[in-house]
């Protein structure tokens, strides 16, 4: 029966790691995330557009377009031009999301498969826990092994986060790319790593306390 525990531990480690990483990757491949990056890029152009059009309100692109069209007229060249440019940018954003640029995969497809990985991750996590439990059908043993897996996952996340930090400091990577993509990843790895360590250590200590209490009895 020890084989069940080994298989369950392996499945749990792999599926939990897959589940954790898929959470962040699903987010950064979502259409909402791409839209937020797109909106930030547009916002950086607003001051120049407002200065050229002599506008005072530059909160967002729709407001700028409304002001330009109101100032020069709906059929004016400035109004038609700014609306056309903005619509082209929106079309490019949608095309970018569905264009197959990652080894034959688009961000849309990647997001779809990552969502599936999240769901399968949950199923395999439960399967791993079940197999570990079937080893000797003791809750304390299950808590101990799951806690150790949480601790190992937390340590690996923190090691990955700090190795990424060292990598970026030694590379000539544009600050905007780091800010939009990798800084979020490093924050995520740090938070997940700390959370897994806290949960793992708490579970392990609780298991040891329960074991001592049983021994005393």
């Amino acid at each position: 029966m020890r084989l069940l525990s080994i298989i369950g531990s392996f499945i749990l480690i792999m599926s939990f790691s897959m589940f954790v990483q898929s959470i962040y990757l699903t987010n950064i491949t979502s259409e909402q995330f791409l839209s937020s990056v797109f909106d930030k890029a547009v916002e950086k152009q607003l001051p120049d557009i407002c200065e050229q059009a002599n506008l005072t309100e530059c909160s967002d692109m729709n407001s700028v377009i409304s002001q330009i069209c109101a100032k020069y007229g709906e059929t004016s060249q400035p109004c038609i031009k700014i609306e056309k440019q903005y619509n082209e940018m929106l079309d490019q954003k949608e095309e970018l999301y569905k264009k197959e640029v990652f080894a034959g995969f688009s961000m849309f497809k990647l997001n779809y498969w990552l969502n599936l990985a999240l769901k399968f991750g949950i199923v395999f996590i439960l399967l791993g826990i079940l197999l570990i439990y079937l080893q000797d059908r003791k809750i304390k043993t299950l808590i101990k092994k799951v806690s150790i897996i949480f601790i190992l996952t937390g340590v690996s996340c923190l090691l990955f986060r700090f190795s990424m930090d060292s990598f970026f400091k030694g590379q000539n990577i544009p600050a905007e790319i780091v800010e939009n993509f990798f800084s979020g990843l490093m924050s995520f790895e740090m938070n997940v790593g700390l959370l897994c360590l806290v949960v793992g250590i708490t579970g392990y200590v609780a298991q040891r306390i329960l074991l001592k209490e049983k021994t005393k009895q």
Side-chain angles (χ1 to χ4, degrees):
M1 291 292 287
R2 182 173 294 277
L3 182 62
L4 282 179
S5 180
I6 295 173
I7 295 174
S9 298
F10 176 77
I11 291 175
L12 184 56
I13 291 171
M14 298 302 295
S15 58
F16 187 68
S17 299
M18 178 180 71
F19 175 76
V20 168
Q21 300 305 327
S22 294
I23 293 174
Y24 181 78
L25 293 174
T26 299
N27 177 54
I28 66 171
T29 57
S30 67
E31 191 169 5
Q32 292 81 2
F33 182 83
L34 181 63
S35 294
S36 68
V37 174
F38 172 81
D39 292 340
K40 288 179 181 178
V42 171
E43 286 175 7
K44 291 184 178 180
Q45 302 179 31
L46 289 182
D48 292 335
I49 296 174
C50 290
E51 184 178 355
Q52 292 175 9
N54 195 24
L55 303 177
T56 56
E57 178 60 38
C58 294
S59 58
D60 57 69
M61 194 65 179
N62 288 323
S63 174
V64 169
I65 292 173
S66 297
Q67 290 181 76
I68 291 176
C69 292
K71 184 176 182 178
Y72 296 101
E74 295 288 338
T75 58
S76 66
Q77 187 63 26
C79 177
I80 294 173
K81 182 179 179 181
I82 191 68
E83 284 183 333
K84 182 180 178 181
Q85 289 178 341
Y86 188 56
N87 287 331
E88 287 177 350
M89 293 172 70
L90 291 175
D91 291 339
Q92 289 175 0
K93 179 185 70 171
E94 185 174 353
E95 181 183 353
L96 177 62
Y97 188 66
K98 295 184 177 180
K99 187 176 181 180
E100 297 180 349
V101 293
F102 303 102
F105 284 90
S106 63
M107 291 182 70
F108 172 78
K109 286 184 179 179
L110 284 173
N111 186 259
Y112 172 79
W113 288 109
L114 286 166
N115 269 305
L116 281 181
L118 275 174
K119 295 172 183 176
F120 278 109
I122 295 173
V123 172
F124 281 107
I125 285 172
L126 295 176
L127 175 61
I129 291 174
L130 176 62
L131 291 177
I132 294 172
Y133 174 74
L134 291 176
Q135 167 68 47
D136 54 15
R137 301 179 186 273
K138 293 181 179 179
I139 295 296
K140 288 188 285 296
T141 302
L142 174 64
I143 293 174
K144 178 183 178 181
K145 292 184 177 180
V146 171
S147 298
I148 291 173
I149 290 172
F150 265 87
I151 293 171
L152 292 175
T153 303
V155 171
S156 65
C157 287
L158 293 178
L159 288 175
F160 177 74
R161 183 256 181 267
F162 288 113
S163 64
M164 288 283 286
D165 189 42
S166 300
F167 171 77
F168 291 134
K169 288 179 180 178
Q171 303 294 321
N172 187 24
I173 300 176
E176 186 174 347
I177 294 178
V178 175
E179 178 183 352
N180 288 331
F181 291 94
F182 298 113
S183 64
L185 173 60
M186 290 190 288
S187 297
F188 175 80
E189 295 291 342
M190 174 68 79
N191 293 335
V192 170
L194 292 175
L195 179 61
C196 286
L197 280 177
V198 170
V199 173
I201 293 172
T202 302
Y204 187 81
V205 171
Q207 179 268 337
R208 297 298 297 176
I209 293 173
L210 289 173
L211 186 63
K212 287 182 178 179
E213 290 294 329
K214 186 178 179 179
T215 304
K216 289 179 180 178
Q217 294 176 359

